[in-house]
Amino acid sequence: MARSSGVDVIGLPGILKRNKAYLSRVGIEVERELQVAAERTVNRAREKVPVDTGNLRANIRVERPREYQRVVHTGEAEYAPYVEFGTGPHFPPIAPLRRWAYHKLGDERAAYAIARAIARAGTEAQPFMRPSFQEEAPRLKVRLREIAKRVSGR
């Protein structure tokens, strides 16, 4: 007959239950901090983004794809990367430029001169997402460290 040995820890179910409840509260705190940081990033990006029609600003939002993750993005504004990072020289589509020139300059014919300038030099970056994230990231790091210290008892 095989012999077995083991150790029974008296009160283990209670310890695990309390630990699970504590970790759940910590998880809730981390989720809250992530959401606050993401919302602050959205607000900063909305303040920094260059505005023409307001479409890009209106599309900056936060989503929670899964637990402990937040994504701040520009939604349906496909042109957001060109604003954020600028472009190299290219000949842009004329229709949007004509609308922009009419709206901003009162003369849609100016679009052709603008298109030629973009074809020569590209467009300058107008960062709004990266600086917003870079401003918030250190604050979030500090808040998450505080939670970690509280959990670890250090």
Side-chain angles (χ1 to χ4, degrees), residues 38 46 52 121 124 126:
R46 286 179 179 161
D52 180 26
E124 222 175 284
Q126 300 176 70

Side-chain angles (χ1 to χ4, degrees), residues 12-138:
L12 183 60
I15 291 169
L16 293 175
K17 187 176 180 180
R18 284 190 300 276
N19 209 12
K20 187 176 179 182
Y22 181 71
L23 289 175
S24 175
R25 286 194 306 274
V26 168
I28 290 168
E29 283 185 59
V30 169
E31 282 284 332
R32 185 181 61 239
E33 292 300 337
L34 289 173
Q35 188 64 33
V36 166
E39 288 171 4
R40 288 171 57 120
T41 301
V42 165
N43 291 336
R44 279 196 178 86
R46 286 179 179 161
E47 290 170 2
K48 294 176 183 302
V49 69
V51 177
D52 180 26
T53 65
N55 181 57
L56 183 51
R57 180 175 51 198
N59 272 284
I60 300 171
R61 61 178 62 108
V62 62
E63 289 187 6
R64 181 183 184 258
R66 61 179 171 259
E67 190 174 42
Y68 306 118
Q69 186 179 41
R70 297 299 182 280
V71 177
V72 177
H73 63 91
T74 54
E76 303 298 316
E78 309 88 21
Y79 56 92
Y82 308 122
V83 175
E84 178 81 15
F85 301 107
T87 68
H90 68 286
F91 200 84
I94 202 69
L97 270 180
R98 288 177 71 180
R99 283 192 301 275
W100 182 88
Y102 179 76
H103 176 73
K104 288 290 188 182
L105 308 172
D107 183 3
E108 68 181 28
R109 293 173 299 170
Y112 297 99
I114 295 166
R116 282 192 301 277
I118 292 171
R120 280 192 305 276
T123 61
E124 222 175 284
Q126 300 176 70
F128 59 98
M129 292 292 270
R130 288 175 297 155
S132 301
F133 172 77
Q134 290 165 345
E135 288 172 18
E136 185 57 30

